[in-house]
Amino acid sequence: MATEEAAKPSPLPPYPEMILAAIEGLGDKNGSNKSAISRYIEGKYGELPPAHPSLLTAHLSRMKESGELIFLKNNYFRADAPDAPPKRGRGRPPKVRDPNAPPLPPKAPSTGSPRPRGRPPKPKDPLDAAVAQATAGMPKARGRPPKKAKTEAAAAPAPAPAPAGDGSAPVKRGRGRPPKVRPAAPSETAAA
């Protein structure tokens, strides 16, 4: 019995050979997907190991990474096949130029465009420019800068707005929900 087992050679060739034979045997010009390759191998070689699906996946990905196979639109092609699609880079391909078209004239550098591109710059404040020039050599202070001092006009408190009962001027409201207005309860002295 031991001689029968030892004399029996492994009936399965290596997986890369089986995969390449399956792609050639299927002969589809659009390539062969993983399930078609698996069905071909199962039909031709019969008895396969129980881990066949994971072994097939691992060998297909290894062959794809090494460049033996090309993977395009969920199909596998042999890399050396004449009908294999050309390998493309990522992104949009460049436009195809017509070889019979006349060459484009070279663009002359424009001296001044009617309007520059982008957002226009903010107007320069002369005081900010003077401060920036004066403090150019000084190190920048750490932390948040202090609030700017209020000017004379802003420091004077604004007069409190009168209630707008007649609708002439709007009343400035505070933040948040206004307090509940309680109706005026008649007092005991007014009743007596």
Side-chain angles (χ1 to χ4, degrees):
M1 285 237 184
T3 57
E4 289 177 348
E5 289 178 15
K8 205 183 216 183
S10 175
L12 292 178
Y15 263 88
E17 288 180 22
M18 289 194 290
I19 291 170
L20 292 174
I23 292 173
E24 282 182 23
L26 290 168
D28 191 1
K29 69 175 185 120
N30 294 330
S32 307
N33 60 14
K34 187 168 75 168
S35 60
I37 294 170
S38 178
R39 281 194 306 264
Y40 182 89
I41 291 174
E42 287 172 2
K44 185 170 182 182
Y45 299 103
E47 196 80 22
L48 293 172
H52 168 69
S54 59
L55 284 170
L56 181 66
T57 303
H59 280 88
L60 282 171
S61 63
R62 189 178 309 142
M63 291 173 75
K64 180 175 65 171
E65 293 298 321
S66 69
E68 292 178 63
L69 294 178
I70 296 173
F71 184 68
L72 181 69
K73 294 183 181 175
N74 209 22
N75 289 331
Y76 293 92
F77 300 87
R78 286 187 66 151
D80 56 356
D83 58 342
K87 194 166 189 180
R88 265 188 52 193
R90 294 183 61 167
R92 184 177 181 145
K95 285 186 177 179
V96 179
R97 294 208 171 239
D98 186 15
N100 299 331
L104 296 173
K107 287 187 178 180
S110 59
T111 55
S113 62
R115 189 174 71 185
R117 292 180 58 191
R119 187 178 194 144
K122 288 186 176 180
K124 303 283 185 194
D125 186 16
L127 182 62
D128 286 344
V131 170
Q133 186 179 10
T135 59
M138 301 171 71
K140 189 173 180 184
R142 292 177 55 188
R144 184 177 182 145
K147 288 185 175 180
K148 292 184 178 180
K150 292 184 178 180
T151 59
E152 298 284 331
D166 58 350
S168 60
V171 177
K172 182 170 181 174
R173 296 184 188 177
R175 293 178 58 189
R177 184 174 181 148
K180 186 174 184 181
V181 178
R182 297 183 181 255
S187 63
E188 292 178 20
T189 55

